[in-house]
C-alpha cells in the first residue's frame, strides 16, 4: 500500500514523505502558514491577506469604517451631543495622507489579521498632551518592550523599525488597541493567526483544483501492478 500511494502522489509531483513533513513543519511550502504553534508570526499572517481571508476582513473592516463617530458631553441633566470639536476634526482628517475612514478600516484590518493596531499620536510629549495627527503603524514593524523587573509588569516603550532606522516611543505616544490574548497581556492575537490550519487546508484545496483544470479537467495518471491479476480482479 505505501508504494501504491507514492506512485499515485508522484503523478501530481508529490511524495508521501514530503507531504507529511510539509504539514508538520511548514518548510518552504508557500501554501503553509501553520507551524505547530498557537499563534503564527505577524509577517506570515499578513502574507495570506488574500482570497477569502481578504474578503472576510474587508467585509468586517468596511462595516467598522462606515460607523459614524459621535461625541457627547455628559451632564447631570443628561447627555448633550457635541457637533463641533477639535477631537471630531482630528478623527475626520487624521493626518495629511489618510482620512478617518481609512484609519478605522486599517485598525479593523490589523486587529482581524494579527490582533494588534498601533496608532502613533503626533505632538504628544506627555500624558496630558493632545495629538495633532494620528498615524497607523505597521504591526509587522513594531515591538512592545516590557519591563519585567518591576511588579506589576509594565510596557516600557515601543520600538518601530523602518528600513534604515529604529524609532523608540514612550507608552503615551502610541495608542495600542488589541484583541486580548489570554496568554499575553501585552500583545493581542488575531483571527488569522488562530485559524492557520483552516487557511492551509483551503490553500491546498484551491491549488489542487487549479491544477485539475490546468490539466483539462482530467485526473492524469494510471494504475499499475507488479503482480499478475485475473480479469475479475482487474474489474474489481
Amino acid at each position: 500500500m505505501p508504494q501504491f500511494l507514492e506512485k499515485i502522489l508522484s503523478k501530481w509531483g508529490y511524495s508521501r514523505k514530503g507531504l507529511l513533513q510539509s504539514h508538520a513543519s511548514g518548510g518552504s511550502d508557500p501554501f503553509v502558514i501553520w507551524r505547530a504553534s498557537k499563534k503564527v508570526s505577524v509577517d506570515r499572517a499578513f502574507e495570506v491577506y488574500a482570497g477569502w481571508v481578504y474578503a472576510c476582513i474587508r467585509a468586517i473592516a468596511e462595516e467598522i469604517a462606515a460607523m459614524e463617530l459621535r461625541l457627547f458631553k455628559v451632564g447631570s441633566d443628561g447627555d448633550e451631543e457635541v457637533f463641533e470639536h477639535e477631537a471630531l476634526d482630528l478623527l475626520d482628517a487624521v493626518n495629511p495622507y489618510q482620512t478617518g475612514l481609512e484609519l478605522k478600516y486599517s485598525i479593523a484590518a490589523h486587529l482581524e489579521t494579527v490582533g494588534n493596531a498601533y496608532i502613533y499620536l503626533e505632538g504628544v510629549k506627555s500624558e496630558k498632551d493632545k495629538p495633532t495627527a494620528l498615524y497607523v503603524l505597521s504591526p509587522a514593524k513594531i515591538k512592545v518592550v516590557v519591563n519585567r523587573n518591576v511588579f506589576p509588569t509594565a510596557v516600557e516603550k515601543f520600538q518601530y523599525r523602518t528600513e534604515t532606522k529604529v524609532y523608540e516611543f514612550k507608552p503615551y505616544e502610541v495608542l495600542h488597541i488589541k484583541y486580548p490574548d489570554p496568554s499575553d497581556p501585552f500583545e493581542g492575537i488575531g483571527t488569522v493567526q488562530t485559524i492557520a490550519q483552516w487557511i492551509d487546508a483551503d490553500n491546498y484545496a484551491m491549488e489542487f483544483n487549479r491544477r485539475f483544470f490546468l490539466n483539462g479537467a482530467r485526473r492524469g495518471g494510471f494504475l499499475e501492478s507488479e503482480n499478475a491479476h485475473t480479469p475479475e480482479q482487474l474489474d474489481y
Side-chain angles (χ1 to χ4, degrees):
M1 180 63 78
Q3 291 181 350
F4 170 77
L5 288 175
E6 289 175 5
K7 289 180 179 180
I8 293 296
L9 291 171
S10 67
K11 305 306 177 184
W12 280 277
Y14 294 115
S15 67
R16 184 171 62 94
K17 181 179 179 182
L19 277 177
L20 292 175
Q21 289 178 341
S22 176
H23 177 74
S25 62
S28 59
D29 195 323
F31 300 111
V32 177
I33 68 170
W34 183 59
R35 294 292 185 275
S37 62
K38 187 198 71 171
K39 182 166 64 174
V40 301
S41 69
V42 172
D43 289 335
R44 201 69 183 97
F46 274 123
E47 286 179 11
V48 294
Y49 187 64
W52 64 266
V53 175
Y54 166 76
C56 292
I57 292 177
R58 177 177 175 178
I60 295 171
E62 285 184 343
E63 284 295 315
I64 299 297
M67 293 176 61
E68 180 183 359
L69 299 177
R70 301 168 64 186
L71 180 64
F72 288 85
K73 181 179 180 181
V74 179
S76 57
D77 298 329
D79 300 340
E80 178 185 356
E81 185 170 4
V82 179
F83 296 97
E84 294 186 6
H85 194 277
E86 57 184 340
L88 294 174
D89 295 337
L90 178 62
L91 292 172
D92 184 54
V94 295
N95 62 58
Y97 314 106
Q98 286 183 309
T99 63
L101 187 148
E102 292 177 276
L103 174 74
K104 289 180 285 184
Y105 185 103
S106 297
I107 291 173
H110 286 176
L111 288 174
E112 287 297 320
T113 307
V114 296
N116 295 282
Y118 301 94
I119 314 299
Y120 170 60
L121 309 176
E122 186 178 60
V124 173
K125 302 302 178 183
S126 70
E127 296 281 358
K128 297 182 179 180
D129 286 344
K130 300 176 183 179
T132 56
L134 308 175
Y135 291 89
V136 179
L137 302 177
S138 171
K141 298 180 179 180
I142 200 162
K143 178 182 179 182
V144 181
V145 180
V146 179
N147 184 358
R148 302 187 183 279
N149 295 321
V150 298
F151 186 84
T153 309
V155 174
E156 185 177 290
K157 58 186 175 182
F158 293 94
Q159 289 182 338
Y160 190 73
R161 184 180 299 275
T162 65
E163 290 75 11
T164 59
K165 190 174 180 180
V166 176
Y167 297 89
E168 293 191 348
F169 302 116
K170 297 292 185 182
Y172 52 76
E173 293 181 279
V174 175
L175 176 61
H176 182 192
I177 307 170
K178 60 181 179 292
Y179 283 166
D181 181 354
S183 64
D184 187 349
F186 301 105
E187 292 191 72
I189 186 169
T191 305
V192 171
Q193 291 178 301
T194 60
I195 60 170
Q197 295 182 63
W198 298 0
I199 297 172
D200 280 352
D202 192 71
N203 285 341
Y204 277 122
M206 287 191 297
E207 179 62 11
F208 179 88
N209 286 331
R210 187 184 72 87
R211 294 189 183 188
F212 174 71
F213 287 108
L214 285 175
N215 194 38
R218 290 178 290 112
R219 285 192 174 91
F222 56 88
L223 302 179
E224 62 179 354
S225 173
E226 298 175 355
N227 302 315
H229 291 285
T230 65
E232 290 77 13
Q233 289 175 319
L234 292 175
D235 289 339
Y236 176 79

